[in-house]
Amino acid sequence: MRVDQEKIKILLLESGLINSADIKAAEAKAKKTGDSLENILVSDGKIPEDDLRRLQAYTLGIPFVNLEKEKIDFDVLSLIPEPIARNHNIVAYKKKDDALEVAMVDPQDIETMDFIRKKSNLRILPRLTNRVSIKKALAQYRESLEAEFGDIVRKEAGSIKTIKDKDENENDENALKKMAEDLPIIRIVDTLLKHAILQRASDIHIEPMEDKVLVRYRIDGVLHDAMSLPQKAAPGIIARVKILSNLKIDEKRLPQDGRFKTETQDEKVSFRVSILPVYNGEKVVMRLLRENVKGFSFETLGFEEKQIDDLHLAIKRTTGMILVTGPTGSGKTTTLYTVLDVLNTPEVNISTIEDPIEYRMPRINQTQVKPDIGFTFANGLRALVRQDPDIIMVGEIRDNETASLAINAALTGHLVLSTLHTNSAAGAVPRMIDMKTEPFLLASTINIVIAQRLVRKLCSGKEKYFLKKDEIERLSEVVDADRLLKIIKKEKIIEEKDGWENVPFFRPKESRDCPDGYSERVGIHEVLKVTESIKNLIVANATSDDIENQAKKEGMLTMVEDGILKAAKGLTSIEEVLRVIND
């Protein structure tokens, strides 16, 4: 279904909605920006989007629908997974017999319609709508889940049984087990997990308080209050999580770690569980690990073109080390898995030693460390080198022994991938030296070091603005403004004659379907290629600042520069970049 541009222009003029001068101006702007004529006319306020969509529907011969006041049955709405609906601006709103009516903004998105047809096994009837309708419909995903959970809590909270005082039942495993198997508790925990998966949460926090149980989700790196539950539900919920994780139900004095899996219609999710005794009971934190994740690429992770070129050169080498650095939760493992995905061919043997195994990958031999029985990274790495590997991934270099074994493996004909906890790419070198590694060995083995953080991406309704003089001065305090301006010009974001006052930036704009103006995350990186000059500095035991300055002379983008460059491209905001860098 392709919209005939000429026919749209004729209808616009004939209807009197717009004049020829406006169309010519919009066409010139569309040619310059690469945007469509229709989007320019709507964004410039020349025509209401509702009128434009009705004209498009007329030219295509399909109905136009307005869903702004439509209450969609959740069973029908959920036929299209929320991530697909949100990314492609398409929602299912009516089902009759073997036909499904879907409302969409882009009538040319044939691929998504084909995907929905195969997934639902229904005949798809496309309908055109406007963005306001889509936003209202998308908001119903969250409303339906919260309503569903609220109904469960309201209906079941009164029937949750309580156990006797702690002193009498401190070790009464049977009482706790019976409580965990109560239908209300099972339904609450199942819905809580389902809600977290659909909200794309990375962690669930269940925190017992004096008068309630607080449930929080970490979404896009930020914790949000999700719901409050009755305090009497706490023992049952925690016991239920322990049963799922195969942990000791009656152990309340010591920390416990476990794991369990669940499967939804669209994906398998593994939950890594940590239980810790606190003042009001036990706190549960569950990390969501989506298995069989596919589709990662260096581009989607946020690497710039030059960084990708440097990465490809490094991973083509058959020996040496590739290190990824950053704090916990900065996406280091995802970057390593993306590298492994590129390297994963029938000609090579790839083995990993991880804690935990976060994604399952076909044709890769993945091993989980078990420190409680003495199976550590170091022991696992010793065993791996006897398995005839070409490529080895070590989840993390934590100690002198692991560092030494990883270096030896890289020296003896293996490509070794691993992570480190440092704040910058250049900081990886002194960190490795702290672990008793000789500088000349580091210079011989490290191919490339990647440092990264994750920043939240702005939603589509972002607000454009330009920096004022005092804001430019403040920005100059955290970054080399002259150097970065040259990079921004090189990326053709502004003209060669322009200055900082012409660089476009964007602020988050809150909306019903995007409450804080951000959705999802993207990486900001610095990629340190170990050139001959960098090797000389490493051997000379230079500081991380000296190494970083040399790398910048050779064209390396620092993380803050990469972040502000992404802000100028409209992917994120300056405030978000500075928040993440300063954390």
Side-chain angles (χ1 to χ4, degrees):
M1 289 187 295
R2 186 167 292 279
V3 179
D4 189 325
Q5 299 287 316
E6 290 302 318
K7 195 171 181 182
I8 285 284
K9 282 197 288 185
I10 292 167
L11 286 170
L12 283 169
L13 290 168
E14 287 180 350
S15 64
L17 289 169
I18 203 164
N19 58 47
S20 57
D22 286 335
I23 287 206
K24 284 179 182 176
E27 282 180 324
K29 193 171 180 180
K31 191 174 181 181
K32 186 177 179 181
T33 62
D35 206 348
S36 69
L37 173 69
E38 291 97 324
N39 286 346
I40 296 292
L41 290 171
V42 171
S43 63
D44 286 355
K46 300 298 182 183
I47 181 173
E49 190 194 5
D50 205 55
D51 290 345
L52 178 65
R53 298 297 175 200
R54 288 177 191 277
L55 278 176
Q56 288 179 330
Y58 176 76
T59 62
L60 292 167
I62 61 174
F64 175 88
V65 293
N66 191 319
L67 303 178
E68 288 182 48
K69 296 180 181 177
E70 188 94 11
K71 182 64 181 172
I72 304 170
D73 186 304
F74 187 64
D75 290 337
V76 176
L77 188 70
S78 59
L79 286 171
I80 301 177
E82 185 182 9
I84 300 291
R86 199 172 289 282
N87 289 336
H88 295 273
N89 283 320
I90 183 167
V91 292
Y93 71 96
K94 192 182 290 183
K95 180 178 176 288
K96 190 175 181 182
D97 300 328
D98 67 337
L100 181 68
E101 293 188 40
V102 298
M104 59 200 308
V105 170
D106 182 7
Q108 298 176 40
D109 194 353
I110 306 297
E111 280 185 32
T112 304
M113 280 194 285
D114 198 42
F115 166 80
I116 295 164
R117 180 180 57 77
K118 289 176 183 175
K119 184 181 180 300
S120 63
N121 203 25
L122 295 168
R123 189 161 51 93
I124 304 301
L125 303 176
R127 306 289 185 250
L128 210 60
T129 191
N130 56 33
R131 292 184 186 277
V132 175
S133 285
I134 289 287
K135 283 183 179 180
K136 300 276 187 186
L138 288 172
Q140 292 186 41
Y141 279 97
R142 184 173 296 179
E143 288 169 4
S144 300
L145 282 166
E146 288 172 351
E148 178 188 347
F149 196 91
D151 288 343
I152 290 171
V153 173
R154 279 191 294 273
K155 289 175 185 175
E156 308 292 356
S159 59
I160 293 173
K161 297 172 186 175
T162 56
I163 58 176
K164 296 176 186 177
D165 292 338
K166 292 180 182 177
D167 292 342
E168 298 176 28
N169 279 279
E170 192 68 54
N171 296 305
D172 192 349
E173 184 176 354
N174 290 331
L176 284 166
K177 190 172 182 182
K178 190 175 179 183
M179 191 175 196
E181 290 170 354
D182 277 353
L183 186 60
I185 292 294
I186 291 172
R187 291 187 68 197
I188 286 172
V189 173
D190 287 353
T191 311
L192 189 152
L193 299 179
K194 174 186 173 186
H195 194 182
I197 291 167
L198 287 171
Q199 290 288 315
R200 309 302 294 175
S202 61
D203 300 87
I204 305 169
H205 291 235
I206 302 172
E207 303 171 2
M209 306 180 87
E210 192 172 347
D211 58 343
K212 62 183 177 182
V213 179
L214 180 64
V215 179
R216 300 197 286 171
Y217 293 152
R218 188 176 294 279
I219 301 170
D220 297 333
V222 178
L223 273 172
H224 301 270
D225 286 2
M227 58 204 73
S228 294
L229 303 176
Q231 202 279 333
K232 66 178 180 178
I237 289 171
I238 291 163
R240 177 67 185 161
V241 172
K242 286 180 178 178
I243 285 175
L244 290 171
S245 313
N246 200 24
L247 300 175
K248 293 178 182 177
I249 300 176
D250 58 336
E251 179 56 78
K252 300 179 183 178
R253 298 166 301 169
L254 295 172
Q256 295 191 75
D257 293 314
R259 193 178 179 122
F260 67 92
K261 292 182 184 180
T262 187
E263 192 167 342
T264 68
Q265 206 172 13
D266 308 299
E267 59 186 338
K268 293 179 183 177
V269 181
S270 181
F271 291 83
R272 191 175 77 204
V273 179
S274 171
I275 299 180
L276 181 73
V278 293
Y279 185 78
N280 290 306
E282 293 173 279
K283 178 182 175 181
V284 178
V285 176
M286 291 181 272
R287 167 66 57 89
L288 281 71
L289 305 169
R290 287 166 173 82
E291 299 189 354
N292 301 317
V293 174
K294 294 179 182 177
F296 285 130
S297 68
F298 294 132
E299 288 84 0
T300 56
L301 293 182
F303 285 93
E304 296 295 325
E305 191 177 338
K306 184 186 182 301
Q307 293 173 332
I308 294 171
D309 291 342
D310 290 343
L311 274 170
H312 279 296
L313 284 173
I315 65 180
K316 280 178 184 174
R317 298 176 66 176
T318 56
T319 62
M321 289 183 75
I322 294 172
L323 296 174
V324 184
T325 77
T328 302
S330 60
K332 299 187 297 294
T333 306
T334 302
T335 298
L336 282 186
Y337 274 109
T338 305
V339 173
L340 287 181
D341 196 36
V342 174
L343 293 168
N344 192 8
T345 62
E347 295 80 25
V348 294
N349 174 22
I350 303 176
S351 294
T352 75
I353 178 81
E354 306 172 57
D355 183 23
I357 296 170
E358 295 198 15
Y359 306 125
R360 285 288 298 113
M361 292 190 79
R363 302 184 64 93
I364 291 180
N365 311 289
Q366 295 173 266
T367 306
Q368 167 84 48
V369 302
K370 293 184 175 67
D372 51 329
I373 59 170
F375 185 42
T376 62
F377 277 120
N379 293 340
L381 190 47
R382 277 197 193 88
L384 283 190
V385 294
R386 294 194 290 272
Q387 288 274 312
D388 185 33
D390 298 294
I391 298 159
I392 299 170
M393 184 182 104
V394 184
E396 185 184 344
I397 295 176
R398 295 176 179 170
D399 52 50
N400 302 358
E401 191 178 9
T402 309
S404 175
L405 288 166
I407 289 284
N408 285 335
L411 284 168
T412 53
H414 306 93
L415 183 63
V416 179
L417 285 64
S418 192
T419 70
L420 276 176
H421 283 285
T422 64
N423 291 326
S424 65
V429 174
R431 178 77 185 98
M432 290 290 283
I433 292 171
D434 285 345
M435 288 190 277
K436 312 300 181 191
T437 304
E438 293 292 342
F440 72 91
L441 291 177
L442 288 177
S444 304
T445 53
I446 298 178
N447 299 340
I448 204 162
V449 185
I450 305 158
Q452 64 182 65
R453 301 285 189 281
L454 294 175
V455 294
R456 291 177 294 168
K457 292 167 69 175
L458 289 165
C459 296
S460 55
K462 57 201 172 190
E463 183 183 332
K464 189 175 180 179
Y465 74 102
F466 296 91
L467 294 179
K468 295 175 183 172
K469 188 177 180 181
D470 60 325
E471 293 172 322
I472 296 169
E473 287 172 1
R474 285 201 298 273
L475 187 64
S476 300
E477 294 172 7
V478 294
V479 71
D480 184 337
D482 293 337
R483 170 183 149 87
L484 186 52
L485 188 63
K486 288 176 185 175
I487 294 167
I488 290 171
K489 288 177 180 178
K490 193 175 178 182
E491 290 288 324
K492 301 193 184 314
I493 295 169
I494 56 173
E495 300 291 335
E496 194 61 40
K497 65 180 186 303
D498 292 336
W500 272 109
E501 66 280 359
N502 304 110
V503 180
F505 288 103
F506 299 85
R507 293 189 185 96
K509 194 173 182 182
E510 294 180 10
S511 62
R512 189 176 177 182
D513 63 312
C514 190
D516 54 6
Y518 295 100
S519 176
E520 300 181 353
R521 289 188 290 175
V522 69
I524 56 173
H525 309 88
E526 54 189 39
V527 176
L528 172 61
K529 186 168 67 170
V530 181
T531 59
E532 283 303 317
S533 55
I534 299 292
K535 285 180 181 180
N536 293 336
L537 287 172
I538 294 171
V539 172
N541 217 352
T543 65
S544 58
D545 287 343
D546 292 336
I547 293 170
E548 183 174 301
N549 288 334
Q550 179 60 34
K552 284 166 71 175
K553 287 176 187 175
E554 295 175 8
M556 183 187 82
L557 269 179
T558 64
M559 265 188 296
V560 68
E561 288 171 343
D562 188 31
I564 293 170
L565 180 61
K566 284 181 171 59
K569 290 180 177 179
L571 285 173
T572 188
S573 66
I574 292 178
E575 292 76 18
E576 174 68 5
V577 172
L578 297 180
R579 178 188 73 82
V580 169
I581 292 291
N582 293 327
D583 273 357

